[in-house]
Amino acid sequence: MPDRSAAGPSNPGENSGSDFIRDLVAADTASGRFGGRVQTRFPPEPNGYLHIGHAKAICLDFTVAAESGGRCFLRFDDTNPATESPEYVDAIIADVAWLGFEPQEIRFASDYFDQLYDWAELLISRGLAYVDDQDAEAISAGRGGFGQPGTDSPFRDRPVDENLRLFREMAVGQHPQGSRVLRARIDMQHENMQMRDPVMYRIRHQDHYRQGDRWCIYPTYDWAHGQGDAIEGVTHSLCTLEFRDNRALYDWYLEHLPLAELDYAGDRPHQTEFARLELTNTITSKRVLRRLVEDGHVDGWDDPRLPTLRALRRRGYPPAAIRDFCGFIGVARTNSRHAPELLESFVRTELNAIAPRRMAVLRPLKLVITNWPTDDDGNPLVEYREAVNNPEDQSAGTRQVPFSGELWIEQDDFRLEAPPKYFRLAPGREVRLRAGYFVRCIDAVTDAGGRVTEVRCTYDPETSSGQAPDGRKVKATIHWVSAAHAVPIEAALYERLFDTELPGERTGDPLDDLHPNSREVCTGVAEPAVTDIAPGQVVQFERLGYFCADNAAAGNAEPGSSAPRLFHRTVGLRDEWANIQKRRQQQGAQR
C-alpha cells in the first residue's frame, strides 16, 4: 500500500476533501450563479495522443460535473488544420472511455467557425479588431516585452470599412498565406502581454480534416476557446496554469460579444486555473514525444515506456489506479512534480487485488530432481500441484500446475558460493518450491567457462504440504516451471525512459538524458495456465512482478502464431514509494 504518512487520505483515490475548485463550484451553486447549473468540458486539440498529464484534467472536469449533478462535454479544439486528424480524434475518444468517463456530448470547435466569423466581423464593425499586414516577426517585435512598452501597428487605425473588406477577402482566399492577420484592438501598453492586440485569425491555405476546403482563414486558440465555452453553455472552464495570463483575454472577448443571443441564459463562463500533473523522469511535451517516436527512440505512441494513455494501457496500468492517483494528489494552485513511484504504488495496490497469479521463469536454469520417481520406461512421473490463483481473492479459486523431475528455476535463485544473507539455493542448502516440495542441492554442473548449466537436487516426499513433518524450516521459497510443460514467453522489463529527474535540465535537450538501457527483453518460460491470460490482461508472475499480456505475440506476429507471447512488466512487487517515504522520514529524523 502507498505510504501516506505525510498527508492525504487513507485509501487510494479517496477524495482529500475540499479544494479551491470544488469550493468555487459549491459557492456558485449555492448563490444561484449560472442558474444553479454546472457544466464543464475537456477540450483537447486533436494533434496528438493523450498522456498522463491529461488524465488529471479529464478526472477533474468529469468528476466536478458529476459531483454537482452537472454535465461535461468532450470538445475538440480543432482550429489548426496543419496538425489535426481523425486518427487523434478517435484515439482521444477511446482514451477518455478507457479512463472510465462518458461525455454527455462530443463537440468540435470547427462546427462554430461560422459563428466565430460573424462575431469577428461584429468586433471589426465596432472598431475592436483590425487587419494587420505585418508579418509574424514584426508583430512579435511590436508587442514589446515584460516591462517594455508595445508599439502600435501602422495598420491599427485602418477604417472599419477597409478592415471589413480585407477580412472578407482573406476569407475567400484573395490573399496569400501569411500576408495578413486579424488582430483584436485592445491595448498595446497593457501590462499583460496577452492583451497587446492578440491575433484572432491567420490565413492558412490548407484543407481542414472536417471542413474540407471551405475555409482558408482559421481562428487562433484564444479566439475560439472561450467562445466555444459560451456557445456550449459551459459554466466553469477549468484550465491548467499556463493559461492563467490568458484569462483576461478570455473575459475581454466574452464581454464584447452578444452572448444573450445564444440559446442559454445566465452568466458568461468563468475560467479557473489549476496545477498540471507532472512526473519526474518523464516528458509530456507533445513536441518531444513526437521526436521520440519519429526518431525511433521508442516503438510508436503505445510503447510502454511512454507516458501516453495508450502506452500505459498497453503496459497494464488499470484505469482505476490512474483515477485514484489523480484523486490522491488533489488540486493545487502551484505546479509540482510527483515521483513515478507514487503512481506505481496505486497501480500495484489495484493489481494486487485483481491480478491472477502464475509462475514464470525469465532467465531459466535447469533443476533436476535426482530421486524423482519414474514410470516403467524410466520417464519422470507428472504430478499436479494445487496453486492459489489470487490469495487476495478467494473467489478466484485454484489451478493445477504440472510438476515433474526436471524444472526451470531462475538463475538468480542459485549460487555456487552463497554471499551473506543469501538464503536461496546453494550446494548443501534446502529451499521450498512454491506449491511444491522441499529440495536440497547436491551438485551443480558447469560449462567450460564455469557457468552453471544445471542444478541437481533431491526432494523430500514428506514435504508435500509445504511443511516438513520433523518441523525443520527453510529460509526461502522459490518459483519454478516444469520443463516438459513449459510455455515459451518473452518478457519486456522496463527502466525509466529518462535517467534524470528533470530531463533536459542539464543541456536543454531532453533526449540527451535518455536511459541507454530502458528496455530489456528476456526469453523465458511459464506454466501452461499462462495461456489462459487474455491479451491486455495483467498477471502476477510470482516473485517477479505484474506483467501485461501484449495484444499480439512477440514482434509483429499474429495471435495464434508459434512465436512466444510477449508480456510487459507493469510494475515490480516491491513498493518503491514506501521505501522513498521511509528514507525521507529517516533523513528528517537525522536533521
Side-chain angles (χ1 to χ4, degrees), residues 10 59 132 191 207-208 326 335 361 390 445 452 466-467 532 566 574 589:
S10 58
C59 290
D132 194 340
E191 61 181 11
D207 288 358
H208 189 276
C326 291
N335 285 325
V361 174
N390 187 335
V445 179
V452 177
Q467 297 179 343
D532 297 335
L566 175 63
R574 181 179 300 173

Side-chain angles (χ1 to χ4, degrees), residues 116 119-120 123 200-201 219-227 253 257:
L116 293 171
W119 277 342
L123 292 185
M200 297 171 58
Y201 276 94
T220 59
Y221 171 85
D222 282 323
W223 170 235
H225 183 75
Q227 284 53 261
Y253 282 138
L257 294 176

Side-chain angles (χ1 to χ4, degrees), residues 34-35 37 259-260 262-267:
F34 307 112
R37 294 185 311 109
L259 301 185
L262 300 177
D263 291 336
Y264 82 100
D267 297 292

Side-chain angles (χ1 to χ4, degrees), residues 14 71 101 110 117 160 164 170 194 211 321 357 369 387 401 410 415 456 484 530 540 543 552-553 564 576 591:
E14 180 182 324
R71 306 202 302 165
F101 299 102
S110 54
Y117 178 86
V160 167
L164 282 173
M170 289 165 57
Q194 302 298 325
Q211 297 287 338
R357 273 53 166 174
I369 301 176
V401 185
E410 292 286 351
R415 290 287 185 272
R456 294 179 178 174
V530 77
Q540 185 195 103
R543 300 180 64 233
E576 294 297 336
R591 296 193 189 100

Side-chain angles (χ1 to χ4, degrees), residues 11 79 127 141 179 200 244 324 341 408 430 472 500 509 525 529:
N11 296 309
T79 61
S179 62
M200 297 171 58
R244 179 167 46 196
D324 288 347
E341 290 84 358
W408 294 112
E430 190 174 44
R472 73 182 188 275
T500 59
D509 186 353
V525 293

Side-chain angles (χ1 to χ4, degrees), residues 57-126:
I58 294 170
C59 290
L60 184 63
D61 286 324
F62 280 90
T63 57
V64 163
E67 290 165 2
S68 305
R71 306 202 302 165
C72 182
F73 288 3
L74 170 60
R75 181 178 76 240
F76 292 96
D77 279 343
D78 54 348
T79 61
N80 186 351
T83 60
E84 298 159 355
S85 76
E87 173 190 356
Y88 298 131
V89 170
D90 294 342
I92 290 170
I93 293 173
D95 284 345
V96 170
W98 172 73
L99 202 54
F101 299 102
E102 181 179 359
Q104 271 73 25
E105 293 187 32
I106 296 177
R107 298 287 192 95
F108 296 84
S110 54
D111 288 339
Y112 310 145
F113 281 178
D114 285 303
Q115 178 66 80
L116 293 171
Y117 178 86
D118 290 344
W119 277 342
E121 284 206 354
L122 177 65
L123 292 185
I124 294 172
S125 67
R126 294 178 176 176

Side-chain angles (χ1 to χ4, degrees), residues 112-177:
Y112 310 145
F113 281 178
D114 285 303
Q115 178 66 80
L116 293 171
Y117 178 86
D118 290 344
W119 277 342
E121 284 206 354
L122 177 65
L123 292 185
I124 294 172
S125 67
R126 294 178 176 176
L128 298 175
Y130 63 96
V131 174
D132 194 340
D133 296 358
Q134 296 181 106
D135 59 24
E137 183 177 352
I139 290 174
S140 178
R143 294 176 71 230
F146 294 104
Q148 300 176 346
T151 303
D152 285 357
S153 164
F155 306 98
R156 195 170 192 266
D157 294 322
R158 263 181 166 152
V160 167
D161 290 346
E162 185 179 354
N163 282 318
L164 282 173
R165 175 180 60 80
L166 290 172
F167 185 57
R168 290 166 180 168
E169 291 174 357
M170 289 165 57
V172 296
Q174 293 185 18
H175 298 284
Q177 182 164 303

Side-chain angles (χ1 to χ4, degrees), residues 10 17 67 83 244 254 338-339 345 417 426 441:
S10 58
E67 290 165 2
T83 60
R244 179 167 46 196
L254 294 178
H338 301 275
S345 70
E417 297 182 4
C441 177

